[in-house]
Amino acid sequence: MAVLHHAFRCAVTPALEREIANLLAAWETGDRERLSDMALARYTALAERKDIHAAFYLGPDGAAPSWLQPQFISPGLAALVVLAKGFVPLPTLSASSDTNHYQLATQLPALGWATDEIDCLIRGQPIEAMLQGSAGCAFRLKQGGFRHTGGWTPGRMARTLCTSVGAWILCQRFGDRQAGSKSV
């Protein structure tokens, strides 16, 4: 599983890994037309997903359709659109309108969290970081120009952060600052 900062989770399955491999194969061979076609075909299937449109600015009134054209497509945006069908909303996060992100950003430093850990928890990594792990070191992926593709938090990191946030929640509920302290 991976978590996206816009409050969705996505199971990492063999099928998802195959889709990523197909996207990366098109990118690696320079076949931007194929990459664009794959993304545009999936984009139309997202018409009913208002939650996805709102979170990632993929709505028909936004810039996404033009960014999916061959001259602008990036592997990150293509992956976001192709994989979005498997995104499952996390109601406790998505219902907060990002107020939980503000609380984490302002309260976790007092509990000893480093800025980069907080940033990773709230914003995650660019989706290209996840793709790079699948691509190996054969080629390097730059973050795409469409800025709304960030927020990928790998499952292992998500579990570690979840444990730390669980301690923080206990601290908030019971007022014991030590319960939420992060061990060094």
Side-chain angles (χ1 to χ4, degrees), residues 17-170:
E17 289 174 346
R18 280 190 300 278
E19 288 188 288
I20 291 170
N22 289 336
L23 290 167
L24 292 174
W27 183 256
E28 189 173 16
T29 61
D31 193 348
R32 296 171 77 88
E33 289 282 338
R34 182 172 151 229
L35 188 65
S36 175
D37 289 345
M38 292 165 68
L40 286 167
R42 199 58 68 84
Y43 180 75
T44 56
L46 294 177
E48 301 301 315
R49 294 288 309 265
K50 301 295 182 203
D51 56 344
I52 298 288
H53 290 282
F56 296 102
Y57 299 93
L58 293 178
D61 298 331
S66 62
W67 280 95
L68 294 174
Q69 299 305 313
Q71 62 271 33
F72 300 113
I73 192 82
S74 70
L77 180 57
L80 177 69
V81 172
V82 169
L83 303 178
K85 72 173 182 204
F87 293 174
V88 178
L90 299 171
T92 56
L93 291 177
S94 55
S96 69
S97 302
D98 289 339
T99 57
N100 60 340
H101 293 165
Y102 173 78
Q103 289 174 345
L104 292 171
T106 57
Q107 294 181 24
L108 289 178
L111 298 172
W113 282 55
T115 303
D116 58 336
E117 292 172 314
I118 297 168
D119 191 50
C120 181
L121 174 67
I122 295 172
R123 292 176 190 83
Q125 301 170 348
I127 197 167
E128 288 84 0
M130 179 274 300
L131 295 174
Q132 188 67 52
S134 297
C137 54
F139 60 97
R140 200 85 179 114
L141 292 173
K142 289 189 231 175
Q143 185 168 353
F146 192 77
R147 68 178 186 207
H148 304 293
T149 60
W152 191 269
T153 304
R156 186 177 319 124
M157 186 182 299
R159 285 186 292 279
T160 300
L161 292 170
C162 184
T163 300
S164 297
V165 170
W168 176 72
I169 290 169
L170 285 174

